[in-house]
Amino acid sequence: MGEVKLIGSRMSLFCSRIEWALKIKGVSYDYLEEDLRNKSPTLVKYNPVHKKVPVLIHEDKPIAESLVILEYIDEIWKDNPLLPQDPYDRAFARFWAKFVDEKVLFGSFEACKAQSGEEKEKAIESAQESLAFLEKQIEGKKFFGGERIGYLDLVTGWIPLWLGVMEEVGEMKLLPAEKFPFLHKWSINIIDVPLIRESIPSRDSLVNYFHASISYLRSLEDSKA
Amino acid sequence: MGEVKLIGSRMSLFCSRIEWALKIKGVSYDYLEEDLRNKSPTLVKYNPVHKKVPVLIHEDKPIAESLVILEYIDEIWKDNPLLPQDPYDRAFARFWAKFVDEKVLFGSFEACKAQSGEEKEKAIESAQESLAFLEKQIEGKKFFGGERIGYLDLVTGWIPLWLGVMEEVGEMKLLPAEKFPFLHKWSINIIDVPLIRESIPSRDSLVNYFHASISYLRSLEDSKA
């Protein structure tokens, strides 16, 4: 099916979802680690618009934006489908994927970054409102995809590791088990899948990365204030 | 194929793209106009997460988010496909659709809303940078979809009317013909398609709507400043 390369960053949850998808499909690929603080000419060449990872390069043609890449992978390599077959179920998965990226992830990161008392409380409340919507969707299911992991599990698959790191670095609790029992159970199920567990960064390296990123962003905001 | 309803707002460009898609597919539907300043229980019931239009209701099952709806329509009604068939071309269309919604549309609206000299200049420059990326994609083509309109044309189809209105209300020029000749030619081509031309609000009503919206948003920002 042609040569496959992935330009990624080990710390990026958007890249992990692509690695998981390629592994589910059994696709061999060359992995090119990108230094996001010193972007390579290769990245700029293949993603001139956003200059961001991940970029999948298939037969020398680049595809950017992780949700777009997941759809592409699912269309090119048909075995072990990621999206469900039924159009309504597909719309459901796509709707919630967008929600996870735009609301859950963004909200969690803002809560991690927030510093002061009231600002922080509001950000946590807002992130938890989004998480509560997601909690309802996973109630009673093993995976979002049903009995096996699918598209929406990959998109949400950052929660078990990355959300915990955001909680630690942001000195807060976003996902208490008693409030989100079904997302907790799902987190255990997903991290129990070998190909997921084996393709995530070490917790220590991610904590260090987030500490550095959050400090940097806060210093930018402080200098503006 | 079951009963189809669309909850929409005549002023919303996200709703127009859905109406265009349904017309291309020859799907009959009931249209429910929503008063966005006084949202109906029907809207809240069918889109409890975002409480936004458009919502497509097919056989009493709701689908929200306009890009998700377009994919759904294309999967349910196969005639006159919106997305291309080739996976790489599909990824291209999806990538640029996301770019149009997140960068071109958002940037144009911010430029419309911006008030002061430097803030306005920067916002215009930023919007034009995004438009320049889009200009390159349409160079030498009749439509983004090739010889006939497709998914990306529908997503970008707000430009001929809505962008002009933003220019008028925001007292600025975003898309001068000499700088963006290909987007201009495309705008003429798209507005020349009867089903597009016949399913857009009147320019006057849209100008009034934008004047009111922008004034409201500016007053909110002024009260925060």
Side-chain angles (χ1 to χ4, degrees):
Chain A
M1 299 293 286
E3 196 186 32
V4 179
K5 292 180 191 170
L6 176 64
I7 310 179
S9 160
R10 291 291 177 205
M11 300 300 136
S12 161
L13 60 92
F14 299 105
C15 297
S16 287
R17 58 175 69 153
I18 305 305
E19 292 211 80
W20 299 331
L22 291 170
K23 284 176 185 184
I24 288 173
K25 297 287 188 174
V27 177
S28 306
Y29 59 97
D30 285 334
Y31 178 83
L32 309 172
E33 176 73 12
E34 182 69 24
D35 177 0
L36 295 177
R37 292 187 177 98
N38 181 22
K39 293 178 180 178
S40 69
T42 309
L43 178 64
V44 176
K45 173 187 167 190
Y46 283 112
N47 189 2
V49 178
H50 302 298
K51 304 173 187 72
K52 284 184 182 169
V53 292
V55 181
L56 186 79
I57 306 169
H58 183 212
E59 297 174 339
D60 208 38
K61 288 183 294 189
I63 304 119
E65 293 285 355
S66 69
L67 299 186
V68 176
I69 297 173
L70 287 180
E71 298 255 5
Y72 179 82
I73 288 173
D74 212 26
E75 291 179 1
I76 291 282
W77 295 279
K78 305 277 188 194
D79 288 347
N80 302 323
L82 304 176
L83 277 160
Q85 295 307 298
D86 175 75
Y88 190 77
D89 296 339
R90 294 163 73 84
F92 177 94
R94 288 176 178 134
F95 173 89
W96 286 105
K98 194 168 190 288
F99 181 82
V100 165
D101 277 5
E102 291 179 2
K103 299 289 179 183
V104 181
L105 175 54
F106 179 79
S108 303
F109 191 77
E110 287 297 302
C112 178
K113 192 168 58 117
Q115 300 189 63
S116 75
E118 197 194 351
E119 181 203 1
K120 186 123 193 142
E121 269 171 44
K122 276 193 184 170
I124 291 173
E125 194 182 313
S126 171
Q128 289 193 329
E129 275 172 23
S130 298
L131 283 162
F133 275 116
L134 201 61
E135 171 81 1
K136 275 192 209 162
Q137 308 311 314
I138 193 63
E139 186 174 337
K141 292 183 200 166
K142 184 171 181 188
F143 296 116
F144 287 103
E147 278 309 299
R148 38 186 295 281
I149 55 172
Y151 171 84
L152 188 51
D153 295 284
L154 302 187
V155 174
T156 317
W158 57 274
I159 286 184
L161 174 61
W162 276 263
L163 193 84
V165 168
M166 287 187 220
E167 288 181 324
E168 182 180 331
V169 173
E171 297 174 8
M172 59 176 180
K173 197 75 194 160
L174 281 182
L175 200 73
E178 62 280 9
K179 205 167 174 177
F180 299 98
F182 298 106
L183 276 172
H184 262 267
K185 211 172 148 196
W186 166 84
S187 291
I188 294 166
N189 293 338
I190 198 107
I191 219 68
D192 208 37
V193 177
L195 71 85
I196 299 281
R197 201 171 53 232
E198 290 157 12
S199 289
I200 51 177
S202 78
R203 190 178 166 104
D204 283 352
S205 62
L206 201 58
V207 166
N208 288 338
Y209 179 80
F210 264 79
H211 266 303
S213 305
I214 293 291
S215 297
Y216 175 71
L217 291 172
R218 283 178 180 168
S219 71
L220 276 188
E221 285 182 4
D222 288 347
S223 71
K224 265 193 244 166
Chain B
M1 297 294 287
E3 195 186 32
V4 179
K5 291 179 191 171
L6 177 63
I7 310 179
S9 160
R10 291 290 176 206
M11 300 301 135
S12 161
L13 59 93
F14 299 105
C15 297
S16 288
R17 57 175 71 154
I18 306 304
E19 292 211 80
W20 298 331
L22 292 170
K23 283 176 185 183
I24 287 173
K25 297 287 187 174
V27 176
S28 306
Y29 59 96
D30 284 334
Y31 178 82
L32 309 172
E33 175 74 11
E34 182 69 24
D35 177 0
L36 294 177
R37 293 187 176 98
N38 181 22
K39 292 177 181 179
S40 70
T42 308
L43 178 65
V44 176
K45 173 187 167 189
Y46 283 112
N47 189 2
V49 178
H50 301 298
K51 303 174 187 73
K52 284 184 180 168
V53 292
V55 181
L56 186 79
I57 306 169
H58 183 212
E59 297 174 338
D60 207 38
K61 288 183 295 189
I63 304 120
E65 294 285 355
S66 69
L67 299 186
V68 175
I69 298 173
L70 288 180
E71 298 256 3
Y72 178 81
I73 288 173
D74 212 26
E75 291 180 1
I76 291 282
W77 295 280
K78 305 278 188 194
D79 288 348
N80 302 324
L82 303 176
L83 277 160
Q85 296 306 298
D86 176 76
Y88 190 77
D89 295 340
R90 294 164 73 84
F92 177 94
R94 288 176 179 133
F95 173 89
W96 286 104
K98 193 168 190 289
F99 181 82
V100 166
D101 277 5
E102 291 179 3
K103 299 288 178 185
V104 181
L105 175 54
F106 179 78
S108 304
F109 192 77
E110 287 297 301
C112 178
K113 192 167 58 115
Q115 300 188 63
S116 75
E118 197 194 350
E119 181 203 0
K120 186 124 194 142
E121 269 172 43
K122 275 193 185 171
I124 291 173
E125 193 182 314
S126 171
Q128 288 193 329
E129 275 172 23
S130 298
L131 283 161
F133 275 116
L134 201 61
E135 171 81 0
K136 275 191 208 161
Q137 308 312 314
I138 192 63
E139 185 174 337
K141 293 183 200 167
K142 184 172 181 189
F143 296 115
F144 287 102
E147 278 309 299
R148 39 186 294 281
I149 55 172
Y151 171 85
L152 187 52
D153 295 284
L154 302 188
V155 173
T156 317
W158 56 275
I159 286 184
L161 174 60
W162 276 262
L163 193 83
V165 168
M166 287 186 220
E167 289 181 324
E168 182 179 333
V169 172
E171 295 173 8
M172 59 177 179
K173 197 75 195 159
L174 282 182
L175 200 74
E178 62 280 10
K179 205 167 174 178
F180 299 97
F182 299 105
L183 275 172
H184 261 268
K185 212 171 148 198
W186 166 85
S187 291
I188 294 166
N189 293 339
I190 198 110
I191 220 68
D192 207 37
V193 177
L195 70 86
I196 299 280
R197 201 173 52 234
E198 290 157 12
S199 289
I200 51 177
S202 77
R203 190 179 165 103
D204 284 352
S205 63
L206 200 58
V207 166
N208 288 338
Y209 178 80
F210 263 79
H211 267 303
S213 304
I214 294 291
S215 297
Y216 175 71
L217 291 172
R218 283 177 180 168
S219 72
L220 277 187
E221 286 182 3
D222 289 346
S223 71
K224 267 193 243 168

